[in-house]
Amino acid sequence: MTVSLTTSLFDLTGRRALITGSSSGIGLELARGLAQHGASVVLNGRDGGRLEAAVHRLRSEGFEASGALFDVTGEAGVKAGVAEVLTTGPIDILVNNAGIQRRISLLDVTLATWDEVLRNNLTSALLVSREVVPAMIARGGGKIICTLSLMSEVGRRTTGPYTASKGGLKMLVKAMCAEWAEHNVQINGIGPGYFETEMTAPLMQDEQFSGWVRGRTPAGRWGQPQELAGAAVFLASKASDFVNGQVIYVDGGMLAIL
């Protein structure tokens, strides 16, 4: 009885999840983790070829997956894209994962680049969430998960636009909680530390920086994208029904020490 109850808390069977920016990297691993626990996953991206390949990959692993090709940075595109997804079924779980990084000093960053990063990392989460949440409220609840960063708490040189966007996203999580928690919608964040992804490949290839990451992280290594899946499953499941407006940092302990 105890094993069955514990298992059911994390069972996502019959639930449908939309994961933005999930053609590769962390987004794809979050989608895979949700699918492994029974969810039907809808992958999103703006490169049709990469999106189709990601959907095929999950299907070949035996998971129920489909694709939604739209750009999360434009209001009209988001409205049309989400509406199309909803014609084929509900969205019980939304993962706002889309994001980019542009490494440049604050003295040198152009307004166009600043706007690009905030639009991809912060504004997109608002645009997609507000298209998805009305149907969640009408059905009596739902789950929204945002991919933040340890840079939602700390900064580093050449990461100003990214840090500002991820700090803003942390506060957007809290603002959405303030507005939608009463409707049984749980909105929380996952804050990755340094993970091995396409986005961090240049940093990993810099042996001095990579060594700094390993030395600065109590776990002594970079994270693997699949290690974020557990936090996503928890926040998407019944196990987190009274968790709202929170951020789970998955960083090997980096934020815990000086």
Side-chain angles (χ1 to χ4, degrees):
M1 176 68 73
T2 302
V3 173
S4 177
L5 177 61
T6 303
T7 302
S8 69
L9 282 175
F10 301 95
D11 184 11
L12 301 178
T13 301
R15 312 274 284 177
R16 191 165 183 248
L18 169 63
I19 306 95
T20 69
S22 50
S23 294
S24 62
I26 286 174
L28 182 57
E29 290 301 331
L30 294 178
R32 178 179 284 108
L34 297 178
Q36 287 172 337
H37 285 74
S40 167
V41 296
V42 182
L43 307 186
N44 158 262
R46 52 191 173 194
D47 182 317
R50 285 166 61 89
L51 181 62
E52 183 178 355
V55 170
H56 176 74
R57 184 173 176 181
L58 290 188
R59 286 177 175 173
S60 70
E61 296 171 14
F63 303 123
E64 185 177 345
S66 60
L69 182 66
F70 64 90
D71 186 341
V72 297
T73 66
E75 187 173 17
V78 169
K79 283 181 177 289
V82 171
E84 184 173 350
V85 173
L86 289 172
T87 63
T88 56
I91 299 172
D92 304 293
I93 303 157
L94 168 63
V95 183
N96 289 309
N97 175 75
I100 62 171
Q101 169 70 291
R102 299 287 184 262
R103 294 183 179 88
I104 188 169
S105 75
L106 288 172
L107 288 176
D108 295 328
V109 66
T110 64
L111 184 58
T113 296
W114 176 270
D115 287 343
E116 178 194 20
V117 174
L118 264 68
R119 197 166 58 248
N120 277 272
N121 296 1
L122 176 57
T123 305
S124 66
L126 171 64
L127 294 178
V128 180
S129 296
R130 72 181 186 183
E131 293 304 315
V132 169
V133 80
M136 287 183 172
I137 292 172
R139 290 196 315 277
K143 303 281 187 175
I144 298 177
I145 304 166
C146 296
T147 301
L148 279 64
S149 166
L150 61 80
M151 289 185 186
S152 297
E153 300 291 343
V154 297
R156 188 173 61 80
R157 291 180 179 179
T158 75
T159 68
Y162 184 84
T163 300
S165 69
K166 293 298 185 177
L169 188 55
K170 178 185 73 171
M171 298 312 297
L172 179 60
V173 163
K174 296 180 183 299
M176 291 192 292
C177 168
E179 295 205 13
W180 301 333
E182 66 180 297
H183 301 291
N184 192 34
V185 179
Q186 290 84 53
I187 307 100
N188 294 288
I190 298 173
Y194 285 94
F195 278 72
E196 296 186 10
T197 67
E198 290 181 19
M199 187 182 293
T200 61
L203 300 179
M204 292 176 58
Q205 292 164 8
D206 181 335
E207 190 51 46
Q208 182 177 1
F209 186 85
S210 186
W212 174 83
V213 169
R214 293 191 298 270
R216 181 67 177 76
T217 305
R221 62 179 178 84
W222 290 69
Q224 298 299 316
Q226 61 268 26
E227 292 179 301
L228 293 165
V233 170
F234 167 65
L235 292 177
S237 71
K238 293 179 181 179
S240 62
D241 278 356
F242 202 56
V243 178
N244 222 328
Q246 303 303 309
V247 181
I248 298 176
Y249 288 101
V250 186
D251 64 355
M254 182 176 276
L255 286 176
I257 66 168
L258 291 175

